[in-house]
Amino acid sequence: MSLIMLGSFFILMFSGMPLYLSLVTTALTGIIALGDWSLIRVLAQQFYGGMDSFALMAIPFFVLTGILMNKSGLTDRLLEFSRLLVGSVRGGLGYVNVVAGIVLAGVNGSAAADASALGTLLIPAMVKDGFSPPYAAGLTAGSSLIGPIIPPSVFMIIYASMTNTSIGGLFAAGVLPGLLLGGAFMVMNYFYSRKNNMPILDSKAIRAEAGKTLKRSFSAILAPVIIIGGIVTGIVTPTESGALAVAYCLIVGVFLTRGLTLKGIWESLYETARLTSSIFLIMGAATIIGWLLKWDQVPQRFAMFLTQSGLVQSPFLLMIVFSAIIFPIGMFMEEVSTLSLLTPIFAPLAIKAGIDPLHFGVVMTLNVTIALITPPMGACNYIVAAIGRVKLSDVFIHIWPFIGVSMLVLLIIIAFPPITTFIPRLLGL
Amino acid sequence: ATEIKMAYTGPADEENNGLHLYAVNFKKFVEEGTKGEITLKLFPDSQLGNEEERIELMSKQGMNQPLFNLASFAGVAPVFPEIYASAVPFMFDSYKAAHYFFDEGEYWAKAKEEFQKRSSIVLLEAVEEGGFLAFTNNKKEIKSPKDFKNLKFRGMDEGQVALFEAFGASGTPIPWTEIYMALKTGVVDGQMNPAVYVKMGSLYEVQDYLTLANIQYSDQFLVANGDMWNSFSPETREIITEAAKKANALNRVAMEEQDAAYVQFLVDKGMKAYAPNPEEMDSFRNIGQPAFAKWLSDKMSKEWIDLALESAKVANEKAKE
Amino acid sequence: MTDFTQKPGVSVWITRLERLSAWGAVAFLTLTIADILFGIFQRYFTGSSMIWTEEVARFALLWLVMLGACGAFLHGDHMTIDFVIKKLPLALQKLASQLLFVITAGILCLMIYLSYQNAMGMSHMKTMALNIPKTYPLLSIPVGFFLLLIAVVFKHLSYASSHMCEDAEKEVSP
Ligand code: NA
Ligand code: NA
């Protein structure tokens, strides 16, 4: 069944059919291949189930905030402010993106919310600053991956409760790997900015205008303060911070900058509805595929087949093999499913091979997190494509350097266990 | 041989997931009893969908798939909200009483009948899956309802919220994956769960006090697809019913032993445990039960609540003998 | 709104359809935002949160997504991988688009039927907080796909007719 599905999916996807429809059609061929027509209504059930999620609720709010900020002129002012801060650094906004990703990661447990928040604030500004749209979108998707690695992390909570590992210990183990990942993206941004000769502004000229800029951009700075500050202080959840930001942008856009007309608001709402729809239809359709794979126990059989070949003895190689198994599965399956299907198979083998449970937990989490940006199925890619108004094809092509850098970080972490275990040991966890 | 899928929640870990332990034993007894004519394939970790989706998958109005499933309250209640009458807080004095309630009680017999009528799904057994629920918090030692004043609790559903509000605390719904952080950052001060969940979710790292108040008996429900059930011969049905009971007997012993061990584990990790005395338990009961019953009365007719309380009373008496 | 320069009869209907999709989706988006904001105020002022606000937000989002699908299609917002197909010869591209139309319409019909059946089958299930039949949120799927199907058919008709016009013009002019 899986081979038939794989084949039909690639044909349909490249035929120019909308992605969500290729996924539904693929699921249909899967059911035909299973030969069990009584399952057909699962198409409707799982499609609904994949979209019915409070965790994804933040997406429309951040999409709308981004559009409203553009229309009301707040994005321009935010850009002016950021030039004041990092204008004299080549590719400065790229670093801002990564740092903001680390800050959000420290308070937020899910990458989808981070990608929405970062994309809203930074992709339009980065594009105006001269970054190519696919790069801006890709870097945002990359920055959002830091979210599940630096605590808190939903993935880690799931891993810990499945393996009876201490959540506090695993959280502590994620700090250095998360910073390492952020550092790697910053290095990448350094080379990108040099290669593309991103402009450097004259710092004297900027400083001369500093007072004026600050005054003008004050209203715009409040938007990230509401979004990031609201989440950091725990006053609101990430979802709620999105709704608050919408309300704030509406008020400022209508009464202060006067950039928003009634027509403008209508257009923003309608555009948000369309983009939200395009993301959620894919989430729903992808969920059907995941369900069918689980029904037929495809990931387990695949993993069993490879791990029971008995070839692997050394912990290092074992983790490489596990990563190599997770990568293709993560391309096609939703991340929580991947994690909860493979953890029970892998964790006992890892413990037997003498791998530290905390180290292995971080390796599993990072693997599953990277799956968020591996095409074709990766929630963060859809989000940055929709928010950044970048074609999905372009994201799929330009995301690979970011995947490569993440894999490199994964390899470093696999090779040097102290990166994960140092802080937990220090804290006695 | 016929292969039947069996779905449930939680990892495939016999030591820490009572549902998996049950599934493994049930599988063994069914396969032995039918001499391999029926084999079970286990699907842990909600692989076939969440609670509601799994019920849809096996109900006649849904996809009518031949399945066994361990359903929680969240799975049964959308079709049969009256199931909540079996979860009135502080209704059982002991494990033994809860066992009588589900093995011989009048409420449970009627519940099985009504659930099948509405969904065509057969309700086979109330599987013991953990100990009694206990309160945890990180503010102060809770001995009686008055200690709840001004604390913030995680209330999983409106019933729990009603209970906490009756005690003078507030209740906020927070999903399981977010509890740890919510307790750590002080979004809420406490929650209620069996000791096994407190251990599994590492909640002892962020909670100091444990109150063993026998709040609710924790159970899930073994259910079977109706058409599949009817297709079995009477002997096969007998074998499966027996297997369900035998597996549950093992679970009961294991869960009660484990619960004591888990409480000890939590104490070793630094939690301060307290078991309320009979007067304190009375005050929990006298405030908690009416508040919960009031919430129930929006969801079902009074008959069901009265029947459940009456059955519990009988069971408590019987357990004392 | 989109500018349709194709056959007037069909394009009027496409515009009407889009207006329906837009109004519906925007209404539900507004409801979602208002509901979440209400939840924040509720918690801030009374200290406790209502469990139903979460359910309202989820269901409104589903309706917004499904009603918005039609508008997203008419605006070309659905995510598509088209760099391969664009490299094919034009005749093959045309053939593929005909084939895709047939598959799309077929799949949409199937999904409308299945999701309608699903919505009706689940009428005996009540939602946790609002205590309403699960049919209400489930119905968003057949309704949304039905609007989408009409839009797909209309768009196809209008393209077909506009292509015919082009061909006819070519024949007349030297
Ligand atoms: Na995080
Ligand atoms: Na992926």
Side-chain angles (χ1 to χ4, degrees), chain C residues 4-173:
Chain C
F4 293 103
T5 47
Q6 288 100 18
K7 203 178 174 186
V10 178
S11 72
V12 165
W13 278 103
I14 291 181
T15 311
R16 282 181 192 163
L17 197 62
E18 185 181 2
R19 204 167 289 154
L20 185 67
S21 156
W23 274 103
V26 167
F28 279 107
L29 175 59
T30 315
L31 175 62
T32 314
I33 298 167
D35 174 75
I36 296 285
L37 288 175
F38 174 78
I40 303 174
F41 280 104
Q42 179 83 25
R43 197 181 55 229
Y44 191 73
F45 288 112
T46 69
S48 78
S49 8
M50 303 302 250
I51 287 177
W52 57 260
T53 53
E54 190 247 12
E55 220 168 67
V56 169
R58 269 169 43 219
F59 295 166
L61 180 67
L62 279 160
W63 275 95
L64 133 71
V65 165
M66 291 315 298
L67 292 179
C70 171
F73 164 73
L74 292 171
H75 274 255
D77 283 329
H78 284 307
M79 297 192 204
T80 306
I81 312 287
D82 54 6
F83 59 86
V84 176
I85 191 88
K86 278 190 177 156
K87 290 197 178 114
L88 294 178
L90 209 67
L92 250 155
Q93 278 190 41
K94 271 191 179 164
L95 184 71
S97 88
Q98 293 289 335
L99 203 64
L100 281 187
F101 169 72
V102 174
I103 299 177
T104 303
I107 290 286
L108 286 178
C109 286
L110 179 71
M111 285 304 278
I112 292 167
Y113 170 73
L114 292 175
S115 53
Y116 178 75
Q117 198 191 19
N118 200 42
M120 291 304 148
M122 292 307 125
S123 60
H124 66 299
M125 288 179 94
K126 293 272 166 53
T127 69
M128 273 300 284
L130 293 170
N131 210 23
I132 53 170
K134 212 182 160 186
T135 306
Y136 295 156
L138 281 171
L139 263 183
S140 62
I141 308 216
V143 171
F145 276 143
F146 183 67
L147 290 181
L148 189 59
L149 176 68
I150 304 176
V152 167
V153 171
F154 278 178
K155 197 82 189 264
H156 191 75
L157 285 179
S158 74
Y159 269 132
S161 54
S162 69
H163 282 310
M164 259 186 266
C165 292
E166 271 171 32
D167 290 347
E169 272 168 35
K170 267 179 207 154
E171 273 171 28
V172 180
S173 55

Side-chain angles (χ1 to χ4, degrees), chain A residues 2 4 66 70 88 97 110 130 138 168 200 234 244 259 290 299 329 336 353 409 415:
Chain A
S2 38
I4 295 178
N70 277 342
S88 53
N97 194 326
S110 103
I200 303 180
L244 269 188
I329 292 178
V336 172
V409 170

Side-chain angles (χ1 to χ4, degrees), chain A residues 235-406:
Chain A
I235 296 173
V236 287
T237 65
T239 306
E240 292 171 342
S241 80
L244 269 188
V246 166
Y248 174 75
C249 291
L250 273 176
I251 293 169
V252 171
V254 172
F255 297 108
L256 199 72
T257 67
R258 313 247 170 126
L260 277 182
T261 57
L262 208 58
K263 187 163 171 273
I265 295 173
W266 163 264
E267 279 168 0
S268 311
L269 286 169
Y270 182 38
E271 194 177 340
T272 304
R274 292 188 332 253
L275 293 181
T276 306
S277 182
S278 69
I279 297 175
F280 275 70
L281 290 181
I282 297 177
M283 303 284 187
T287 307
I288 316 174
I289 307 274
W291 190 91
L292 283 171
L293 293 177
K294 286 187 269 184
W295 174 265
D296 207 29
Q297 300 201 315
V298 174
Q300 292 99 315
R301 282 190 280 145
F302 180 59
M304 283 294 183
F305 173 74
L306 288 177
T307 51
Q308 284 180 347
S309 51
L311 292 167
V312 184
Q313 299 295 329
S314 94
F316 177 76
L317 282 179
L318 193 65
M319 281 187 279
I320 300 284
V321 169
F322 287 164
S323 306
I325 295 171
I326 297 173
F327 192 78
I329 292 178
M331 287 171 87
F332 296 99
M333 247 172 74
E334 183 267 326
E335 291 69 31
V336 172
S337 303
T338 311
L339 187 64
S340 53
L341 284 181
L342 297 182
T343 299
I345 303 174
F346 290 173
L349 294 170
I351 306 300
K352 217 186 284 169
I355 303 169
D356 185 286
L358 295 181
H359 182 220
F360 190 67
V362 173
V363 170
M364 281 297 282
T365 308
L366 185 52
N367 262 306
V368 170
T369 303
I370 294 172
L372 284 163
I373 60 166
T374 54
M377 267 172 242
C380 290
N381 288 347
Y382 307 138
I383 293 169
V384 295
I387 291 180
R389 310 248 53 181
V390 184
K391 283 179 70 179
L392 191 62
S393 320
D394 289 340
V395 173
F396 279 7
I397 294 166
H398 290 91
I399 199 69
W400 285 99
F402 297 95
I403 298 173
V405 167
S406 313

Side-chain angles (χ1 to χ4, degrees), chain B residues 201-243:
Chain B
S202 301
L203 302 188
Y204 54 86
E205 294 174 358
V206 287
Q207 297 277 273
D208 300 330
Y209 303 103
L210 179 68
T211 305
L212 304 164
N214 282 8
I215 311 168
Q216 281 161 326
Y217 177 70
S218 61
D219 51 350
Q220 295 208 7
F221 308 98
L222 175 67
V223 291
N225 169 259
D227 281 358
M228 172 184 83
W229 186 252
N230 293 333
S231 73
F232 293 149
S233 68
E235 298 81 58
T236 308
R237 275 181 238 165
E238 183 69 19
I239 292 167
I240 295 175
T241 311
E242 264 322 293

